[in-house]
Amino acid sequence: MYVEKIPWTANYEETEIPAYTLPDALLCQDGTTVKNAEEWQNKRRPELLEIFKKEMYGQILPMPDHVEYEVLTDSKPALDGIAMMRQTRIHFKMDNGKSHDVDVLMFTPAKEGKHPVFVGLTFVGNHVCSTDPEIIITGRRMDASEEYQKDLESKRGFQERRFPLKEIISRGYAIAFACYNDIFPDRPSGWKESALNLFIPIGELASPSGYSSIGVWSWGISRILDYVSTLPEIDAEKACVFGHSRLGKTSLWTGVIDERFKLVCVNDSGCGGAALSRRLYGETLFSMMHYTGIGKYWFTATLRPYVYATDTLPMDQHELIALVAPRAVAVHSATEDQWADPTGEYLSAYYAGKVFSLFGKEPLKSLTPPPPDTPVGTDVSYFERTGKHDILLSDWTHYMDMADRIFKK
Ligand code: GCU
């Protein structure tokens, strides 16, 4: 057994990766092996899902007692007339008086019809996606200080590159998102201002066991999908979930638990996302949960005992990708994002393949990752973009190519 050591340093040498054996996705806890899609669905999938809930991402949150949609800005032309833009406040209310709200920004192709949709979350605030002054500043829950709020206002359009809106709309897709900080402020004390308050009492500094911020963010994405499903111009049968980095970890978990998503787009998600946990390359669970501690609250506290020796984990991330089957998944990496372990992300998608095969879906064929900028695969697909940790037009182009194929556009 390999045990992580302090001081910890990230390993970037293939030859230095301690030997590991991955759990067999098809091997049930009772020692039998799944032989067909039905056994996977009825037996192995539920037990694996329980393991991921219990040991990593936490409970799946329920529906609130009441949901109301308030129009903040009515649907109106945007992006030089090719799109309609609207902003909606979702009010969540409980019979006991608790409430929470989240603002959703949405762009839909202006042309008539029912459109497939990408649903996800953004860092910082909705207004980072465009310089359009009509976009309401969101993400205010992250930090109430005057300084943060002022800085937040200066962020209009600063991540435009991550939202190639005109290209998305031109290809016939709608896109809807909210700021993750409005669902669970991304800090260790974020619990108290998070949507989890709707369901459980949260004390001053409590980090409630059995929950994770990723679990709460995922709940938020599903509630955005509920909302867009009420709109006549959206074809909710054709929904895709997207997310980058810690939000890529989130999009993968969301895609697993919310089967309404037919395509799961996972971008540069790295450790705790698509990358194999046992492959100690770049960031590791030990670093994330203990050494740097950056992601302590992203996952449940139950994950902690495993992070010192990842071969004690009862699962690994290829099994999480497998839980998306028979729906489609696209795993993306970037060449300059070795922290996220592109090869570990590829191998995870590769090893998930045998579950997809049970459904007659196509697994990745080669144990060797493809060269950069060369997408491979159909139902399970992989793409490594040249460049930094980011989500850019070429990532979106591949996600939309996947969606086109699935939805036969
Ligand atoms: C850090 C963290 C990653 C995470 C990333 C992000 O790099 O270590 O696990 O994915 O932040 O979300 O930007």
Side-chain angles (χ1 to χ4, degrees):
M1 180 190 297
Y2 178 81
V3 180
E4 293 260 30
K5 294 173 200 75
I6 289 180
W8 180 87
T9 46
N11 166 45
Y12 291 114
E13 295 296 335
E14 285 292 326
T15 51
E16 296 294 315
I17 298 171
Y20 63 92
T21 310
L22 291 178
D24 179 353
L26 299 181
L27 184 63
C28 299
Q29 283 171 321
D30 65 6
T32 60
T33 298
V34 164
K35 283 181 278 322
N36 52 48
E38 204 189 337
E39 280 176 22
W40 169 263
Q41 285 294 57
N42 299 333
K43 185 172 176 189
R44 181 62 176 151
R45 188 178 195 281
E47 76 179 26
L48 254 182
L49 194 57
E50 269 319 300
I51 293 173
F52 278 105
K53 274 167 32 183
K54 179 164 173 277
E55 310 293 9
M56 206 158 177
Y57 301 101
Q59 291 310 309
I60 297 173
L61 305 188
M63 286 294 291
D65 295 333
H66 310 279
V67 180
E68 282 159 28
Y69 303 125
E70 177 193 353
V71 177
L72 295 178
T73 61
D74 226 333
S75 197
K76 62 161 204 105
L79 307 174
D80 298 329
I82 63 168
M84 300 298 280
M85 179 180 101
R86 67 164 93 199
Q87 298 175 90
T88 307
R89 181 161 295 162
I90 310 184
H91 293 273
F92 304 109
K93 294 184 179 163
M94 301 301 283
D95 288 336
N96 62 13
K98 287 187 181 182
S99 65
H100 192 93
D101 54 65
V102 174
D103 291 354
V104 176
L105 172 61
M106 178 171 185
F107 295 88
T108 315
K111 64 171 196 265
E112 289 266 311
K114 278 177 106 55
H115 309 286
V117 62
F118 282 89
V119 181
L121 297 176
T122 172
F123 292 95
V124 186
N126 292 347
H127 56 296
V128 304
C129 75
S130 156
T131 50
D132 186 335
E134 303 226 4
I135 298 178
I136 295 165
I137 290 167
T138 61
R140 295 195 181 277
R141 278 194 192 107
M142 180 57 183
D143 182 341
S145 72
E146 210 175 299
E147 198 189 347
Y148 184 84
Q149 297 287 323
K150 253 188 112 183
D151 188 52
L152 191 60
E153 285 166 28
S154 74
K155 293 287 194 295
R156 194 177 287 288
F158 101 116
Q159 284 183 341
E160 231 173 356
R161 67 183 190 283
R162 292 189 172 176
F163 294 89
L165 296 171
K166 281 192 176 168
E167 285 81 359
I168 294 171
I169 294 294
S170 306
R171 289 190 57 170
Y173 291 91
I175 178 168
F177 52 90
C179 176
Y180 78 145
N181 284 325
D182 287 335
I183 297 166
F184 186 120
D186 189 6
R187 49 180 156 81
S189 60
W191 300 98
K192 348 185 235 224
E193 285 124 288
S194 79
L196 187 60
N197 276 288
L198 292 167
F199 308 110
I200 61 163
I202 296 173
E204 267 300 287
L205 286 169
S207 158
S209 66
Y211 298 95
S212 72
S213 69
I214 289 181
V216 186
W217 292 327
S218 290
W219 174 89
I221 296 177
S222 291
R223 301 295 73 80
I224 300 174
L225 178 57
D226 297 344
Y227 163 62
V228 303
S229 304
T230 66
L231 303 172
E233 64 270 38
I234 295 299
D235 185 350
E237 294 295 309
K238 296 180 178 165
C240 316
V241 58
F242 72 91
H244 167 64
S245 205
R246 68 201 72 177
L247 293 176
K249 309 181 207 301
T250 306
S251 68
L252 177 52
W253 178 238
T254 311
V256 164
I257 61 179
D258 191 335
E259 297 180 71
R260 293 174 296 174
F261 288 110
K262 304 296 187 309
L263 170 63
V264 183
C265 305
V266 187
N267 204 79
D268 300 1
S269 61
C271 184
L276 293 172
S277 304
R278 281 171 174 75
R279 218 184 96 93
L280 301 181
Y281 182 103
E283 186 177 36
T284 66
L285 288 178
F286 175 75
S287 164
M288 198 162 54
M289 295 293 284
H290 183 99
Y291 194 65
T292 70
I294 184 174
K296 269 187 178 166
Y297 55 96
W298 297 349
F299 302 91
T300 54
T302 44
L303 187 61
R304 281 190 214 151
Y306 299 110
V307 307
Y308 306 94
T310 45
D311 42 12
T312 60
L313 281 164
M315 74 300 191
D316 212 312
Q317 299 306 93
H318 62 303
E319 295 175 298
L320 185 65
I321 297 178
L323 288 172
V324 175
R327 294 164 296 131
V329 58
V331 173
H332 285 202
S333 311
T335 52
E336 291 171 45
D337 187 19
Q338 294 298 312
W339 180 242
D341 187 13
T343 303
E345 296 179 308
Y346 177 81
L347 288 175
S348 192
Y350 171 81
Y351 287 117
K354 61 180 175 180
V355 175
F356 285 82
S357 300
L358 291 177
F359 293 89
K361 300 286 176 180
E362 201 175 89
L364 288 170
K365 296 207 166 67
S366 168
L367 242 184
T368 314
D373 306 311
T374 316
V376 284
T378 52
D379 302 308
V380 184
S381 107
Y382 178 82
F383 174 69
E384 184 180 19
R385 176 177 48 74
T386 297
K388 293 193 170 44
H389 181 71
D390 214 336
I391 177 166
L392 301 177
L393 177 59
S394 57
D395 293 302
W396 281 101
T397 300
H398 180 241
Y399 293 136
M400 290 189 283
D401 289 347
M402 289 276 292
D404 280 1
R405 190 165 50 229
I406 295 163
F407 304 139
K408 309 216 173 5
K409 267 169 65 84

